Amino acid sequence: VQLQASGGGLVQAGGSLRLSCAASGRTVSGSSLGWFRQAPGKDREFVAAVRWSDGTIRYADAVKGRFTVSKDNALNTGYLQMNNLQPEDTADYYCAATANRLVVTGWYEPRNYPYWGQGTQVTVSS
């Protein structure tokens, strides 16, 4: 599975961005697409995830109500709509895919995702 992330950029606080993650290669039914972010000097952290087959979704508490994850199965593409961005959202954002169906409780750990896209940088100015 190959993943290609795009859509990052520079935005003022309160602004919006939409990230895309295009998947190619063999995708496994029931697998999940996750979004993570990593700020300088910090560990990579879970942002959101969606299961391809049934649309089950989870969010990190820090982004609930501001970020929306979605998918287009026909295009094999996932999206992360980010609204009301704040300076603390500044980070490199990564999309990742699980190798098979994973229980939701496992979605939060980067080590459970064997496939990763390149990061796309999001910078939010105050």
Side-chain angles (χ1 to χ4, degrees):
V1 177
Q2 293 80 43
L3 302 173
Q4 181 73 35
S6 61
L10 172 64
V11 65
Q12 288 187 330
S16 299
L17 285 172
R18 189 176 83 154
L19 306 184
S20 299
C21 180
S24 59
R26 189 178 73 90
T27 56
V28 176
S29 176
S31 63
S32 303
L33 180 72
W35 289 94
F36 291 79
R37 65 186 182 186
Q38 188 166 18
K42 294 188 176 181
D43 292 336
R44 192 166 296 188
E45 65 174 0
F46 173 82
V47 174
V50 59
R51 181 174 286 138
W52 288 108
S53 59
D54 62 12
T56 300
I57 289 173
R58 291 292 185 273
Y59 295 100
D61 289 342
V63 306
K64 280 181 183 176
R66 300 188 298 124
F67 291 13
T68 302
V69 65
S70 62
K71 61 185 180 64
D72 185 326
N73 288 47
L75 296 179
N76 268 356
T77 300
Y79 304 96
L80 184 67
Q81 177 67 42
M82 306 184 294
N83 296 329
N84 191 21
L85 283 161
Q86 299 300 314
E88 53 266 34
D89 295 315
T90 295
D92 290 328
Y93 283 71
Y94 299 85
C95 59
T98 62
N100 46 42
R101 186 178 180 89
L102 186 68
V103 294
V104 169
T105 52
W107 286 4
Y108 302 90
E109 293 295 331
R111 66 175 181 265
N112 291 329
Y113 295 78
Y115 307 109
W116 289 83
Q118 86 292 358
T120 184
Q121 190 173 49
V122 172
T123 303
V124 185
S125 63
S126 57

